[in-house]
Amino acid sequence: SSNLTTINDFPAVRLRQSRIGEYKKENIELDGFTGVSYFRESGEVEKSGFLLIKNKIYSISVTGSQPEEVSSLFDRVLSSSQLE
């Protein structure tokens, strides 16, 4: 949406921010751009990252049952991603 001015304007980010005890927040970087990731280790394990770049949202999300595997796969996908 063109109304996004910060990453916090994105509904998926606001949802995770509102669940403070459920998600751990970290900063992430891709090609020099900074974003945020949210990691949930209980229930359905999830790690999702969001970057707002030139009014476009980029997201990466990994789910599974093992927190270590989910986090590791997320990190591998993020580190191998490139913006064109």
Coordinates of all heavy atoms in Angstrom, one line a residue:
S1 N 0.8 -1.2 0.0 CA 0.0 0.0 0.0 C 0.9 1.2 0.0 O 1.9 1.3 0.7 CB -0.9 0.0 1.2 OG -1.5 1.2 1.4
S2 N 0.5 2.3 -0.7 CA 1.3 3.5 -0.8 C 1.1 4.3 0.5 O 1.8 5.3 0.7 CB 0.8 4.3 -2.0 OG -0.5 4.7 -1.9
N3 N 0.3 3.9 1.5 CA 0.1 4.6 2.7 C 1.1 4.2 3.8 O 1.1 4.8 4.9 CB -1.3 4.4 3.3 CG -2.4 5.0 2.3 OD1 -2.1 6.0 1.6 ND2 -3.6 4.5 2.4
L4 N 2.0 3.3 3.5 CA 3.0 2.9 4.4 C 4.1 3.9 4.5 O 4.8 4.1 3.5 CB 3.5 1.5 4.0 CG 2.5 0.3 4.0 CD1 3.2 -0.9 3.5 CD2 1.9 0.1 5.4
T5 N 4.3 4.4 5.7 CA 5.5 5.3 5.9 C 6.5 4.7 6.7 O 7.7 5.1 6.6 CB 5.0 6.7 6.4 OG1 4.3 6.4 7.7 CG2 4.1 7.4 5.5
T6 N 6.1 3.8 7.6 CA 7.1 3.1 8.4 C 6.7 1.6 8.4 O 5.6 1.3 8.1 CB 7.2 3.6 9.9 OG1 6.0 3.2 10.6 CG2 7.4 5.1 10.0
I7 N 7.6 0.7 8.8 CA 7.3 -0.7 8.9 C 6.2 -1.0 9.9 O 5.4 -1.9 9.7 CB 8.6 -1.5 9.2 CG1 8.5 -3.0 8.9 CG2 9.0 -1.3 10.7 CD1 8.5 -3.3 7.5
N8 N 6.0 -0.1 10.9 CA 5.0 -0.3 11.9 C 3.6 0.0 11.3 O 2.6 -0.4 12.0 CB 5.2 0.7 13.1 CG 6.6 0.4 13.7 OD1 7.0 -0.8 13.8 ND2 7.2 1.4 14.2
D9 N 3.5 0.5 10.1 CA 2.2 0.7 9.5 C 1.6 -0.6 8.9 O 0.5 -0.6 8.5 CB 2.3 1.8 8.4 CG 2.5 3.2 9.0 OD1 2.2 3.5 10.1 OD2 3.2 4.0 8.2
F10 N 2.5 -1.6 8.7 CA 2.1 -2.8 8.1 C 1.3 -3.7 9.1 O 1.8 -3.9 10.2 CB 3.3 -3.6 7.6 CG 3.0 -4.7 6.7 CD1 2.2 -4.6 5.5 CD2 3.5 -6.0 7.0 CE1 2.0 -5.6 4.7 CE2 3.2 -7.1 6.1 CZ 2.5 -6.9 5.0
P11 N 0.1 -4.1 8.7 CA -0.8 -4.9 9.7 C -0.1 -6.1 10.3 O -0.3 -6.4 11.5 CB -2.0 -5.2 8.9 CG -2.1 -4.2 7.8 CD -0.6 -3.8 7.5
A12 N 0.7 -6.8 9.5 CA 1.3 -8.1 10.0 C 2.4 -7.7 11.1 O 2.6 -8.5 12.1 CB 2.0 -8.8 8.9
V13 N 3.0 -6.6 11.0 CA 4.0 -6.1 12.0 C 3.2 -5.6 13.2 O 3.6 -6.0 14.3 CB 4.9 -5.0 11.4 CG1 5.7 -4.4 12.5 CG2 5.8 -5.5 10.3
R14 N 2.2 -4.9 13.0 CA 1.4 -4.4 14.2 C 0.8 -5.6 15.0 O 0.8 -5.6 16.2 CB 0.2 -3.5 13.7 CG 0.7 -2.1 13.4 CD -0.5 -1.1 13.4 NE -1.7 -1.6 12.7 CZ -1.9 -1.3 11.5 NH1 -1.1 -0.6 10.7 NH2 -3.1 -1.8 10.9
L15 N 0.4 -6.6 14.3 CA -0.2 -7.8 15.0 C 0.9 -8.4 15.9 O 0.7 -8.7 17.0 CB -0.6 -8.8 14.0 CG -1.0 -10.2 14.5 CD1 -2.3 -10.1 15.3 CD2 -1.1 -11.2 13.4
R16 N 2.1 -8.6 15.3 CA 3.2 -9.2 16.1 C 3.6 -8.3 17.2 O 4.0 -8.8 18.3 CB 4.3 -9.6 15.2 CG 4.0 -10.8 14.4 CD 4.8 -11.0 13.1 NE 4.5 -12.2 12.4 CZ 3.4 -12.3 11.6 NH1 2.7 -11.2 11.3 NH2 3.2 -13.4 10.9
Q17 N 3.6 -7.0 17.0 CA 4.0 -6.1 18.1 C 3.0 -6.1 19.2 O 3.4 -5.9 20.4 CB 4.1 -4.6 17.6 CG 5.3 -4.4 16.7 CD 5.3 -3.0 16.1 OE1 4.2 -2.4 15.9 NE2 6.4 -2.5 15.8
S18 N 1.7 -6.3 18.9 CA 0.7 -6.4 20.0 C 0.8 -7.6 20.8 O 0.2 -7.7 21.9 CB -0.7 -6.2 19.3 OG -1.0 -7.4 18.6
R19 N 1.5 -8.6 20.4 CA 1.6 -9.9 21.1 C 3.0 -10.0 21.7 O 3.8 -10.9 21.4 CB 1.4 -11.0 20.2 CG -0.1 -11.0 19.7 CD -0.3 -12.2 18.7 NE -1.7 -12.2 18.3 CZ -2.2 -13.0 17.5 NH1 -1.5 -13.9 16.9 NH2 -3.5 -13.0 17.2
I20 N 3.3 -9.0 22.6 CA 4.7 -8.8 23.1 C 5.2 -10.1 23.8 O 6.4 -10.5 23.6 CB 4.7 -7.7 24.1 CG1 4.4 -6.4 23.4 CG2 6.0 -7.6 24.9 CD1 4.3 -5.2 24.2
G21 N 4.5 -10.8 24.6 CA 4.9 -12.0 25.3 C 5.1 -13.2 24.3 O 5.7 -14.2 24.7
E22 N 4.5 -13.1 23.2 CA 4.5 -14.3 22.2 C 5.7 -14.2 21.2 O 6.2 -15.3 20.8 CB 3.2 -14.2 21.5 CG 2.9 -15.5 20.7 CD 1.5 -15.5 20.1 OE1 0.6 -14.7 20.6 OE2 1.3 -16.2 19.1
Y23 N 6.1 -13.0 20.9 CA 7.1 -12.8 19.8 C 8.3 -12.1 20.4 O 8.2 -11.2 21.1 CB 6.6 -12.0 18.6 CG 5.6 -12.8 17.8 CD1 4.2 -12.7 18.0 CD2 6.0 -13.5 16.7 CE1 3.3 -13.4 17.2 CE2 5.1 -14.2 15.9 CZ 3.8 -14.1 16.1 OH 2.9 -14.8 15.3
K24 N 9.5 -12.5 19.9 CA 10.8 -11.8 20.2 C 11.1 -11.0 18.9 O 11.1 -11.6 17.8 CB 11.9 -12.8 20.5 CG 11.7 -13.6 21.8 CD 12.9 -14.5 21.9 CE 12.6 -15.5 23.1 NZ 13.6 -16.5 23.2
K25 N 11.4 -9.7 19.1 CA 11.7 -8.8 18.0 C 13.2 -8.7 17.9 O 13.9 -8.6 18.9 CB 11.1 -7.5 18.3 CG 11.4 -6.5 17.2 CD 10.7 -5.1 17.6 CE 11.1 -4.1 16.6 NZ 10.5 -2.8 16.9
E26 N 13.7 -8.7 16.6 CA 15.1 -8.4 16.3 C 15.2 -7.6 15.1 O 14.3 -7.6 14.2 CB 15.9 -9.7 16.0 CG 16.0 -10.7 17.2 CD 16.8 -11.9 16.8 OE1 16.9 -12.2 15.6 OE2 17.3 -12.6 17.7
N27 N 16.3 -6.8 14.9 CA 16.5 -6.1 13.7 C 17.2 -7.0 12.7 O 18.0 -7.9 13.1 CB 17.4 -4.9 14.0 CG 16.7 -3.8 14.8 OD1 15.5 -3.6 14.6 ND2 17.4 -3.1 15.6
I28 N 16.9 -6.9 11.4 CA 17.5 -7.7 10.4 C 18.0 -6.7 9.3 O 17.6 -5.5 9.3 CB 16.5 -8.7 9.8 CG1 15.3 -8.0 9.2 CG2 16.2 -9.8 10.8 CD1 14.4 -8.9 8.4
E29 N 18.9 -7.2 8.4 CA 19.4 -6.4 7.4 C 19.5 -7.2 6.1 O 19.8 -8.4 6.1 CB 20.8 -5.9 7.7 CG 21.3 -4.9 6.7 CD 22.7 -4.3 7.1 OE1 22.9 -3.9 8.2 OE2 23.6 -4.3 6.2
L30 N 19.1 -6.5 5.0 CA 19.2 -7.1 3.7 C 19.6 -6.1 2.7 O 19.0 -5.0 2.5 CB 17.8 -7.7 3.2 CG 17.7 -8.3 1.8 CD1 18.6 -9.5 1.7 CD2 16.3 -8.7 1.5
D31 N 20.8 -6.3 2.0 CA 21.4 -5.4 1.0 C 21.5 -4.0 1.6 O 21.2 -3.0 0.9 CB 20.5 -5.4 -0.3 CG 20.8 -6.7 -1.1 OD1 21.6 -7.5 -0.7 OD2 20.0 -6.9 -2.1
G32 N 21.8 -3.8 2.8 CA 22.0 -2.5 3.4 C 20.7 -1.9 4.0 O 20.8 -0.8 4.5
F33 N 19.6 -2.5 3.8 CA 18.3 -2.0 4.3 C 18.0 -2.7 5.6 O 18.3 -3.9 5.8 CB 17.2 -2.3 3.3 CG 17.3 -1.5 2.1 CD1 17.8 -2.1 0.9 CD2 16.9 -0.2 2.0 CE1 18.0 -1.4 -0.2 CE2 17.0 0.5 0.8 CZ 17.5 0.0 -0.3
T34 N 17.5 -2.0 6.6 CA 17.1 -2.5 7.9 C 15.7 -2.8 8.0 O 14.8 -2.0 7.5 CB 17.6 -1.5 9.0 OG1 19.0 -1.3 8.9 CG2 17.3 -2.1 10.4
G35 N 15.3 -3.9 8.6 CA 14.0 -4.3 8.9 C 13.9 -5.0 10.3 O 14.8 -4.8 11.1
V36 N 12.8 -5.7 10.5 CA 12.5 -6.3 11.8 C 12.1 -7.8 11.5 O 11.5 -8.1 10.5 CB 11.5 -5.6 12.6 CG1 11.9 -4.3 13.1 CG2 10.1 -5.6 11.9
S37 N 12.5 -8.6 12.5 CA 12.0 -10.0 12.5 C 11.3 -10.3 13.8 O 11.6 -9.6 14.8 CB 13.1 -11.0 12.2 OG 13.9 -11.1 13.3
Y38 N 10.3 -11.2 13.8 CA 9.6 -11.6 15.0 C 9.7 -13.1 15.0 O 9.4 -13.8 14.0 CB 8.1 -11.2 14.9 CG 8.0 -9.7 15.0 CD1 8.0 -8.9 13.9 CD2 7.9 -9.0 16.2 CE1 7.9 -7.5 13.9 CE2 7.9 -7.7 16.3 CZ 7.9 -6.9 15.2 OH 7.8 -5.5 15.3
F39 N 10.0 -13.7 16.2 CA 10.3 -15.1 16.4 C 9.3 -15.6 17.5 O 9.3 -15.1 18.6 CB 11.7 -15.3 16.8 CG 12.2 -16.8 16.8 CD1 11.7 -17.7 16.0 CD2 13.1 -17.2 17.8 CE1 12.1 -19.0 16.0 CE2 13.5 -18.5 17.8 CZ 13.0 -19.4 16.9
R40 N 8.5 -16.6 17.1 CA 7.6 -17.2 18.1 C 8.1 -18.7 18.3 O 8.1 -19.4 17.3 CB 6.2 -17.2 17.6 CG 5.2 -17.9 18.6 CD 3.8 -17.8 18.2 NE 3.6 -18.5 16.9 CZ 2.6 -18.3 16.1 NH1 1.7 -17.4 16.4 NH2 2.5 -19.0 15.0
E41 N 8.5 -19.0 19.5 CA 9.0 -20.4 19.8 C 8.0 -21.3 20.3 O 8.3 -22.5 20.4 CB 10.2 -20.2 20.8 CG 11.4 -19.5 20.2 CD 12.5 -19.4 21.1 OE1 13.1 -20.5 21.3 OE2 12.9 -18.4 21.6
S42 N 6.8 -20.9 20.7 CA 5.8 -21.8 21.3 C 4.7 -22.0 20.3 O 4.5 -21.2 19.4 CB 5.2 -21.2 22.6 OG 4.6 -19.9 22.3
G43 N 4.0 -23.1 20.5 CA 2.9 -23.5 19.5 C 3.5 -23.8 18.2 O 4.5 -24.5 18.0
E44 N 2.9 -23.2 17.1 CA 3.5 -23.3 15.8 C 4.6 -22.3 15.7 O 4.4 -21.1 15.8 CB 2.4 -23.0 14.7 CG 3.0 -23.1 13.3 CD 2.1 -22.8 12.2 OE1 1.1 -22.1 12.5 OE2 2.3 -23.2 11.1
V45 N 5.8 -22.8 15.7 CA 7.0 -22.0 15.7 C 7.1 -21.2 14.4 O 6.8 -21.7 13.3 CB 8.3 -22.9 15.8 CG1 9.5 -22.0 15.8 CG2 8.2 -23.7 17.1
E46 N 7.4 -19.9 14.5 CA 7.4 -19.0 13.3 C 8.5 -18.0 13.5 O 8.7 -17.5 14.6 CB 6.0 -18.3 13.2 CG 6.0 -17.2 12.2 CD 4.9 -16.1 12.5 OE1 4.0 -16.4 13.3 OE2 5.1 -15.0 11.9
K47 N 9.2 -17.7 12.4 CA 10.0 -16.5 12.3 C 9.7 -15.8 11.0 O 9.8 -16.4 9.9 CB 11.5 -16.9 12.4 CG 12.4 -15.7 12.5 CD 13.8 -16.0 13.0 CE 14.6 -14.8 13.2 NZ 16.0 -15.1 13.6
S48 N 9.3 -14.5 11.2 CA 8.9 -13.7 10.0 C 9.7 -12.4 10.1 O 9.9 -11.8 11.1 CB 7.4 -13.4 10.1 OG 6.7 -14.6 9.9
G49 N 10.2 -12.0 8.9 CA 10.9 -10.8 8.8 C 10.2 -9.8 7.8 O 9.6 -10.3 6.8
F50 N 10.3 -8.5 8.1 CA 9.7 -7.5 7.2 C 10.6 -6.4 7.0 O 11.3 -5.9 7.9 CB 8.5 -7.0 8.0 CG 7.5 -8.0 8.4 CD1 7.6 -8.6 9.6 CD2 6.5 -8.5 7.5 CE1 6.7 -9.6 10.0 CE2 5.6 -9.5 7.9 CZ 5.7 -10.0 9.1
L51 N 10.7 -5.9 5.7 CA 11.5 -4.8 5.3 C 10.6 -3.9 4.5 O 9.9 -4.3 3.6 CB 12.7 -5.2 4.5 CG 13.7 -6.1 5.2 CD1 13.6 -7.5 4.7 CD2 15.1 -5.6 5.1
L52 N 10.7 -2.6 4.8 CA 10.0 -1.6 4.0 C 11.0 -0.8 3.1 O 11.9 -0.1 3.7 CB 9.2 -0.6 4.9 CG 8.5 0.6 4.2 CD1 7.4 0.0 3.2 CD2 7.9 1.5 5.2
I53 N 11.0 -1.0 1.8 CA 12.0 -0.4 0.9 C 11.2 0.3 -0.2 O 10.5 -0.4 -1.0 CB 12.9 -1.5 0.4 CG1 13.6 -2.2 1.6 CG2 13.9 -0.9 -0.5 CD1 14.3 -3.5 1.2
K54 N 11.4 1.6 -0.3 CA 10.8 2.4 -1.4 C 9.3 2.1 -1.5 O 8.8 1.8 -2.5 CB 11.5 2.1 -2.7 CG 12.9 2.5 -2.7 CD 13.6 2.2 -4.0 CE 15.1 2.5 -3.9 NZ 15.9 2.1 -5.1
N55 N 8.6 2.2 -0.4 CA 7.1 2.0 -0.3 C 6.7 0.6 -0.6 O 5.5 0.3 -0.9 CB 6.4 3.0 -1.1 CG 6.4 4.3 -0.5 OD1 6.5 4.5 0.7 ND2 6.2 5.4 -1.3
K56 N 7.6 -0.4 -0.6 CA 7.2 -1.8 -0.8 C 7.6 -2.6 0.4 O 8.7 -2.4 1.0 CB 7.9 -2.4 -2.1 CG 7.4 -1.8 -3.3 CD 8.0 -2.5 -4.5 CE 7.5 -1.8 -5.8 NZ 8.1 -2.5 -7.0
I57 N 6.7 -3.5 0.8 CA 7.0 -4.4 1.9 C 7.6 -5.7 1.3 O 7.0 -6.3 0.4 CB 5.7 -4.8 2.7 CG1 5.3 -3.6 3.6 CG2 5.9 -6.0 3.6 CD1 6.1 -3.4 4.8
Y58 N 8.7 -6.2 1.9 CA 9.2 -7.5 1.6 C 9.2 -8.3 2.9 O 9.5 -7.8 3.9 CB 10.7 -7.3 1.2 CG 10.9 -6.5 -0.1 CD1 10.9 -5.1 -0.1 CD2 10.9 -7.2 -1.4 CE1 11.0 -4.4 -1.3 CE2 11.1 -6.5 -2.6 CZ 11.1 -5.1 -2.5 OH 11.2 -4.4 -3.7
S59 N 8.7 -9.5 2.7 CA 8.6 -10.4 3.9 C 9.1 -11.8 3.6 O 9.1 -12.3 2.5 CB 7.2 -10.5 4.4 OG 6.3 -11.1 3.5
I60 N 9.7 -12.4 4.7 CA 10.1 -13.8 4.7 C 9.5 -14.4 5.9 O 9.6 -13.8 7.0 CB 11.7 -13.8 4.8 CG1 12.3 -13.2 3.5 CG2 12.1 -15.3 4.9 CD1 13.8 -13.0 3.7
S61 N 8.9 -15.6 5.7 CA 8.3 -16.2 6.9 C 8.6 -17.7 6.8 O 8.5 -18.3 5.7 CB 6.8 -16.0 6.9 OG 6.2 -16.5 8.1
V62 N 9.0 -18.3 7.9 CA 9.3 -19.7 8.0 C 8.5 -20.2 9.2 O 8.5 -19.6 10.3 CB 10.8 -20.0 8.2 CG1 11.1 -21.4 8.4 CG2 11.6 -19.4 7.0
T63 N 7.8 -21.4 9.1 CA 7.1 -22.0 10.2 C 7.6 -23.5 10.3 O 8.1 -24.0 9.3 CB 5.6 -22.0 10.0 OG1 5.3 -22.6 8.8 CG2 5.1 -20.5 9.9
G64 N 7.4 -24.0 11.4 CA 7.7 -25.4 11.7 C 7.5 -25.8 13.1 O 6.8 -25.1 13.8
S65 N 8.1 -26.9 13.5 CA 7.9 -27.4 14.9 C 9.1 -27.3 15.8 O 9.0 -27.4 17.0 CB 7.4 -28.9 14.9 OG 8.3 -29.7 14.2
Q66 N 10.3 -27.1 15.2 CA 11.5 -27.0 15.9 C 12.1 -25.6 15.9 O 12.5 -25.2 14.8 CB 12.6 -28.0 15.3 CG 12.1 -29.5 15.4 CD 12.0 -29.9 16.9 OE1 12.8 -29.6 17.7 NE2 11.0 -30.7 17.1
P67 N 12.2 -24.9 17.0 CA 12.6 -23.5 17.0 C 14.0 -23.3 16.3 O 14.2 -22.4 15.6 CB 12.7 -23.1 18.4 CG 11.7 -24.0 19.1 CD 11.7 -25.3 18.3
E68 N 14.9 -24.2 16.6 CA 16.3 -24.1 16.1 C 16.3 -24.2 14.6 O 17.0 -23.5 13.9 CB 17.2 -25.1 16.7 CG 17.3 -25.1 18.2 CD 16.2 -25.9 18.9 OE1 15.5 -26.7 18.2 OE2 15.9 -25.6 20.1
E69 N 15.5 -25.2 14.0 CA 15.5 -25.4 12.6 C 14.8 -24.2 11.9 O 15.2 -23.8 10.8 CB 14.7 -26.7 12.3 CG 15.4 -27.9 12.7 CD 16.7 -28.2 12.0 OE1 16.7 -27.9 10.8 OE2 17.7 -28.6 12.6
V70 N 13.7 -23.7 12.5 CA 13.0 -22.5 11.9 C 13.9 -21.3 11.8 O 14.1 -20.7 10.8 CB 11.7 -22.2 12.7 CG1 11.1 -20.9 12.3 CG2 10.7 -23.3 12.4
S71 N 14.6 -21.0 12.9 CA 15.5 -19.9 13.0 C 16.7 -20.1 12.0 O 17.0 -19.1 11.3 CB 16.0 -19.7 14.4 OG 16.8 -18.5 14.5
S72 N 17.2 -21.2 11.9 CA 18.3 -21.5 11.0 C 17.9 -21.3 9.6 O 18.6 -20.7 8.8 CB 18.9 -22.9 11.3 OG 19.9 -23.2 10.4
L73 N 16.8 -21.9 9.2 CA 16.3 -21.8 7.8 C 16.0 -20.3 7.5 O 16.3 -19.8 6.4 CB 15.1 -22.6 7.6 CG 14.4 -22.6 6.2 CD1 15.5 -22.9 5.1 CD2 13.2 -23.5 6.1
F74 N 15.4 -19.6 8.4 CA 15.1 -18.2 8.2 C 16.4 -17.4 7.9 O 16.5 -16.6 7.0 CB 14.4 -17.5 9.4 CG 14.1 -16.1 9.3 CD1 12.9 -15.6 8.7 CD2 15.1 -15.1 9.7 CE1 12.7 -14.3 8.5 CE2 14.8 -13.8 9.5 CZ 13.7 -13.3 8.9
D75 N 17.4 -17.7 8.8 CA 18.7 -17.0 8.6 C 19.3 -17.3 7.2 O 19.9 -16.4 6.6 CB 19.6 -17.3 9.7 CG 19.1 -16.7 11.1 OD1 18.2 -15.8 11.1 OD2 19.6 -17.2 12.1
R76 N 19.2 -18.6 6.8 CA 19.8 -19.0 5.5 C 19.1 -18.3 4.4 O 19.7 -17.8 3.4 CB 19.8 -20.5 5.4 CG 20.8 -21.2 6.2 CD 21.1 -22.6 5.8 NE 19.9 -23.4 5.6 CZ 19.3 -24.2 6.5 NH1 19.7 -24.2 7.7 NH2 18.2 -24.9 6.1
V77 N 17.7 -18.3 4.4 CA 17.0 -17.6 3.4 C 17.3 -16.1 3.3 O 17.5 -15.6 2.2 CB 15.4 -17.9 3.6 CG1 14.6 -17.0 2.6 CG2 15.1 -19.3 3.4
L78 N 17.3 -15.5 4.5 CA 17.6 -14.0 4.5 C 19.0 -13.8 3.9 O 19.2 -12.9 3.1 CB 17.5 -13.5 5.9 CG 17.8 -12.0 6.1 CD1 16.8 -11.2 5.3 CD2 17.8 -11.6 7.6
S79 N 20.0 -14.5 4.4 CA 21.4 -14.3 3.9 C 21.6 -14.6 2.4 O 22.5 -14.0 1.8 CB 22.4 -15.1 4.8 OG 22.3 -16.4 4.5
S80 N 20.7 -15.4 1.8 CA 20.9 -15.7 0.4 C 20.0 -14.9 -0.5 O 20.0 -15.0 -1.7 CB 20.6 -17.2 0.2 OG 19.2 -17.5 0.5
S81 N 19.2 -14.0 0.1 CA 18.3 -13.1 -0.6 C 19.0 -11.9 -1.2 O 19.9 -11.4 -0.6 CB 17.1 -12.7 0.3 OG 16.4 -13.8 0.7
Q82 N 18.5 -11.5 -2.3 CA 19.0 -10.2 -2.9 C 17.9 -9.4 -3.5 O 16.9 -10.0 -4.0 CB 19.9 -10.6 -4.1 CG 21.2 -11.2 -3.7 CD 22.1 -11.5 -4.9 OE1 21.6 -11.6 -6.0 NE2 23.4 -11.6 -4.7
L83 N 18.0 -8.1 -3.4 CA 17.0 -7.2 -4.0 C 17.5 -6.8 -5.4 O 18.7 -6.6 -5.5 CB 16.8 -6.0 -3.2 CG 16.3 -6.2 -1.8 CD1 16.3 -4.9 -0.9 CD2 14.9 -6.7 -1.8
E84 N 16.7 -6.8 -6.4 CA 17.1 -6.4 -7.7 C 16.5 -5.2 -8.1 O 15.4 -4.8 -7.7 CB 16.8 -7.6 -8.7 CG 17.6 -8.8 -8.4 CD 17.4 -9.9 -9.5 OE1 16.7 -9.6 -10.5 OE2 17.9 -11.0 -9.3

